[in-house]
Amino acid sequence: MKWIISIFILLTFYLFSNTVLAVQGLEALTVTTGANGEQSYSVTIQAMVLMTVITILPSMLLMMTSFTRIIIVLAIVRQATGLMQAPPAQVLVGLGLFMTLFIMAPVFDRMYSDGFKPYLDEKIGAETALKKAGIPLHEFMLAQTRDKDLTMFTEIADTGPYKTPADVPFTVLIPSFVTSELKTAFSMGFLIFIPFLIIDLVVASVLMSMGMMMLSPLIVSMPFKLMLFVLVDGWSMIMGTLASSYYI
């Protein structure tokens, strides 16, 4: 887990490094430019960045990884089966976190090996490490972002067109990525919901034809939906589909 936290620290520092200004007259807040053009930040600035990371780390985990798509699909599955409290919300969040680590592991490995590890070995400076650590995550997010969403936010920000995909800034890429993830999650949830909806309709029609209008169709259909979900090995199908959707 140490390398994951380190990567997020590097990425946050990369995102906000352009807004960090040296305050004249305060030696603790200084930015020093080396002979090769790289900038080194004082310990006080680094501590400020670390405190900022601790604050926005949950948002980064939610908005810049696969967690959004996973947790929405799992919540829709629970709603479709009619079990409002099973599995509990804590279980869904835990499953979403571990699935996120599984899916994002190659990206985190590249971020660590390309950016943070060379920085620890004192082979590259902080600024270069931050840029290299941000490249794998940028590529992952860009690959999952729809062109329509990216174009929309680019036009709103009035910052395009970009010569290469690598030129897309995180300020435009992050909202585009989140919007695309929401669309994908709801599309997958719709397809998951259809079989359970058909069962509800069939059970309701049978009960109506038998004149049992006072009996809730949900009570009768729930065992059939659970049986269908178990017979088709639903959890394995959903987990496999979610994981493979990021590697197609």
Side-chain angles (χ1 to χ4, degrees):
M1 296 298 294
K2 291 183 179 180
W3 55 273
I4 297 178
I5 298 175
S6 302
I7 288 172
F8 277 114
I9 292 175
L10 280 172
L11 181 59
T12 303
F13 197 26
Y14 171 70
L15 291 175
F16 294 97
S17 60
N18 293 330
T19 63
V20 177
L21 301 178
V23 178
Q24 299 296 331
L26 294 179
E27 185 177 354
L29 298 175
T30 58
V31 180
T32 306
T33 303
N36 56 356
E38 291 189 355
Q39 293 179 331
S40 59
Y41 302 90
S42 64
V43 176
T44 305
I45 293 181
Q46 296 180 26
M48 293 170 58
V49 173
L50 179 60
M51 296 301 295
T52 304
V53 169
I54 295 175
T55 304
I56 68 173
L57 185 59
S59 299
M60 294 174 61
L61 179 61
L62 292 175
M63 298 291 101
M64 302 177 68
T65 64
S66 59
F67 182 82
T68 300
R69 181 189 303 186
I70 294 171
I71 196 64
I72 290 178
V73 171
L74 294 180
I76 292 177
V77 170
R78 185 174 67 174
Q79 180 74 21
T81 56
L83 300 173
M84 301 303 176
Q85 301 298 328
Q90 294 87 344
V91 175
L92 292 183
V93 173
L95 183 58
L97 287 174
F98 282 104
M99 280 293 297
T100 300
L101 292 178
F102 173 78
I103 293 172
M104 300 295 297
V107 179
F108 291 155
D109 287 338
R110 283 188 56 196
M111 294 174 67
Y112 178 76
S113 60
D114 295 349
F116 192 70
K117 190 175 186 301
Y119 175 72
L120 290 180
D121 296 337
E122 298 182 355
K123 296 180 179 179
I124 58 177
E127 187 174 355
T128 303
L130 295 172
K131 292 181 179 179
K132 289 187 175 182
I135 292 176
L137 186 60
H138 188 281
E139 293 176 351
F140 169 81
M141 296 173 63
L142 192 62
Q144 305 300 325
T145 303
R146 289 180 169 86
D147 293 336
K148 179 180 179 181
D149 298 325
L150 187 60
T151 301
M152 179 185 68
F153 282 100
T154 300
E155 293 176 351
I156 294 175
D158 194 20
T159 56
Y162 306 106
K163 295 182 180 180
T164 62
D167 295 332
V168 180
F170 276 102
T171 53
V172 174
L173 181 58
I174 292 176
S176 304
F177 170 76
V178 174
T179 304
S180 297
E181 287 292 280
L182 291 174
K183 290 181 180 179
T184 303
F186 278 95
S187 298
M188 296 177 66
F190 171 76
L191 296 177
I192 294 173
F193 219 106
I194 290 179
F196 299 103
L197 179 61
I198 294 175
I199 294 177
D200 286 332
L201 292 175
V202 171
V203 171
S205 299
V206 172
L207 292 178
M208 287 288 292
S209 64
M210 296 176 62
M212 304 175 64
M213 292 178 291
M214 300 300 295
L215 181 61
S216 175
L218 295 178
I219 298 177
V220 181
S221 63
M222 186 179 299
F224 292 99
K225 290 191 289 187
L226 291 178
M227 180 180 64
L228 173 65
F229 195 68
V230 172
L231 289 177
V232 300
D233 200 5
W235 286 115
S236 296
M237 293 179 60
I238 292 172
M239 295 298 103
T241 302
L242 285 171
S244 61
S245 65
Y246 286 95
Y247 293 99
I248 296 177

